[in-house]
Amino acid sequence: MATTSSAGGCSGASGPGNPGGATGLTATITGTMNKKKKPFLGMPAPLGYVPGLGRGATGFTTRSDIGPARDANDPVDDRHAPPGKRTVGDQMKKNQADDDDEDLNDTNYDEFNGYAGSLFSSGPYEKDDEEADAIYAALDKRMDERRKERREQREKEEIEKYRMERPKIQQQFSDLKRKLAEVTEEEWLSIPEVGDARNKRQRNPRHEKLTPIPDSFFAKHLQTGDSHTSVDPRQNFGGLNTPFPGGLNSPYPGGMTPGLVTPGSGDLDMRKIGQARNTLMDMRLSQVSDSVSGQTVVDPKGYLTDLNSMIPTHGGDINDIKKARLLLKSVRETNPHHPPAWIASARLEEVTGKLQVARNLIMKGTEMCPKSEDVWLEAARLQPGDTAKAVVAQAVRHLPQSVRIYIRAAELETDLRAKKRVLRKALEHVPNSVRLWKAAVELEEPEDARIMLSRAVECCPTSVELWLALARLETYENARKVLNKARENIPTDRHIWITAAKLEEANGNTQMVEKIVDRAITSLRANGVEINREQWIQDAEECDKAGSVVTCQAVIRAVIGIGIEEEDCKHTWMEDADSCVSHGALECARAIYAHALQVFPSKKSVWLRAAYFEKNHGTRESLETLLQRAVAHCPKAEVLWLMGAKSKWLAGDVPAARSILALAFQANPNSEEIWLAAVKLESENNEYERARRLLAKARSSAATARVFMKSVKLEWVLGKIAAAQQLCDEALEHYEDFPKLWMMKGQIEEQQQEIEKARDAYNQGLKKCPHSSPLWLLLSRLEEKVGQLTRARAILEKARLKNPKTAELWLESVRLEFRAGLKNIANTLMAKALQECPNSGILWSEAVFLEARPQRKTKSVDALKKCEHDPHVLLAVAKLFWSERKITKAREWFHRTVKIDSDLGDAWATFYKFELQHGTEEQHEEIRKRCENAEPRHGELWCQGSKDIMNWQKKIGEILTLVAAQVKNAF
């Protein structure tokens, strides 16, 4: 900016020519202080004020204010200016261009629009200008809207016309793509593969072959050159003579070059070429020499062989190795007494294959850090056998108290005697090392080990392991003394007490076990030890696995109730029992159930869980003993009576089973379950008259729908159709809303080929029970059986309206269309079914096999996403793997299916058929036994087989075989 000054602005100040100015100023200030102060003094000057301007003084600008004059080519001050603005001249042109933006030339004038630029662009833009622009914009918008529809219609017609004239390739082939749906699979497979249209030379390019040229080739062709240069034999020294007239003699004294001869002589020395090649290789090898250790990374004598040593085995980069080596060298030189630096350096060299360098480094490390245990151990590891022993011996001299070095020394010895000698020597120096004592005792015979342990517990009285080892080697009496001493030395360890209890149990003194465990709890608490319930239960499980059953039960009884609230006892104990079963500690689980039954003797659920535990893991006698106690405490629990009767029946003791049911009748008079169990017992043992009498009594005393149903079923399976029909009609008078009675009536009529009566029975049943899906299915299948496909379809549609979101009805509709050969309709129905019942496993399992074979895997993935834990979906996936011959995966998925739902009989039957085809005899039997134990009751094919009146007396194993024969192959 320019500096403004005034010519006379300081006229009142004293200067060099006014020596009395200071005195006058002082007088003026003194006089002014006595007067009234002016209001403008001390205030800032008004805006635009120039001193002296009122009396004609004007500001001026000097060269010192604006700087020196600059040439147009001088660079600007901004070092980062963009191109075109880097000189003073460029910026001056830019400023001129900004001033000349308005082009008012005649050539730029239009008669209608005026000038191309705005005449008033440089003027101020005020509020009225903004309002005028807004009005014009609104007018333009209104005019544009009036023409918008016509314009858009015109544009649309133009686009359509353009696309008709120039259609896309996709549109050209759309009709052909639609016709692909009509191509059969055979036509598709007969389409030839696209061949390689290139010619033979392009398909099989010949690789360029390079052949090394022999030395004789060079020697031969050197003599055929057009021009030759030779040394004049007459000259002892001097220049070279050219073969052309007028050539110049070389002014420098010359001769033959010591290397290769001049290539005109025809005399080529191949030995010199080999030497030159070796010289070049030496130069390259010297370039990759190691600057850290002074040794060459690459061996010149075996270049290719030693390349392997350059490549680290762990896959790192060679440059990284060099950096690491340099860094570690710096650490060693900076702090030579730092053991990790030496160990890391040695291991780096070992990794890169330089074992000898690693050994040298680590030995130097032992000199610099003689008191470092780790350095000595690393040195012993890197050195070979005898040298390692010498290193360890040297380490012992420096570190006579190091246990790890003594252990390493013993490991290096191959002879047993030498090992013992080393360890005994070590124990002389370090007698309180438990590790050394344990290593030494393991090498000894039992008698010598006992002597050593007696000395070991004196040296290490706080080692529980040594005390327990000594007790195991001693006799019963001495072991008790040893354990008593151990308790005195270590009063806070529970293992000593548990070992004492196991010792008493092993010697038949079982009555002492309980006392020892109780005393252990009391003593440990007195010594401030917290009783950790989980740890004690783990110890009990270990006792169980070791065969100390009494100790295990005593420990469980002592600690099972510690730290648990009263309301959480039952839940926690049941979880503990399940955990013990999963760990294989059955006696622990039995002890937990026994304690729980003592605390909760009237809890039916605890008795049931204990009974199921004995059924799965115990013997028949233990189960029956438990059930006798159970029914004594819970006489109203029908299921306990029935389990006891069934156990006796399965053992072949029918009279005992009858007596148990008789006692159950006394405790639970008019109990439907016990009546039906008694009927089943008699009918299974071919006592049909007794079963009839029991059912007659049941109908008179406990006339329930199930009792009537079992009565009808008994007469039906025995062939008494008239009696069955009479009983069925009698039952329907009392229980007309019980759908199973209507189903049985219709099936009996259907069996008698009375189609109309069966249809009437089903229809009457549906009027009373419109929400019974099995009734709808039976009526639909009856119509399909007689050929009335349309009526069957209508029945299923009506059923779906009355029972929305019922997967079984949708599944039957899909299968009806599929059986009729209408696969497209079946697929459409399946899509609708999955929309209405998206989480139905039976629908998804059917949908997987409705797809074509290539799409089945994708469909199965979708099914698993929707129904991850549904047994039908898991079974479908297993069958899918079976169809693809992936036997191992199929077996794994079958196992998952029967594990997630052991009540699904279809899964067992399919698994059994799979094992019959791909398994061994043992696998067949295993599946059969597991199925018999699971006693499945559900499944479409399973229910058809098990509820068939022809199979009413067949056992589960026989039904399994029948249903497996009906299962279709997955392929």
Side-chain angles (χ1 to χ4, degrees), residues 235-300:
Q235 293 179 347
N236 293 330
F237 51 87
L240 294 176
N241 289 331
T242 61
F244 304 101
L248 297 177
N249 289 334
S250 173
Y252 303 102
M256 277 199 156
T257 52
L260 301 177
V261 297
T262 308
S265 63
D267 187 10
L268 186 66
D269 192 348
M270 301 309 296
R271 184 175 56 84
K272 296 287 183 68
I273 292 178
Q275 290 176 356
R277 188 185 296 123
N278 290 340
T279 305
L280 182 61
M281 182 65 70
D282 288 340
M283 290 171 60
R284 290 184 179 175
L285 290 172
S286 62
Q287 289 174 2
V288 293
S289 63
D290 184 11
S291 61
V292 177
S293 60
Q295 296 185 354
T296 305
V297 176
V298 186
D299 183 11

Side-chain angles (χ1 to χ4, degrees), residues 23 182 272 350 360 380 547 661 693 745 750 833 874 953:
T23 307
E182 303 171 4
K272 296 287 183 68
E350 180 191 11
N360 295 340
L661 288 175
R693 288 199 299 272
K745 182 177 181 181
E750 198 173 339
L874 297 179
Q953 279 189 314

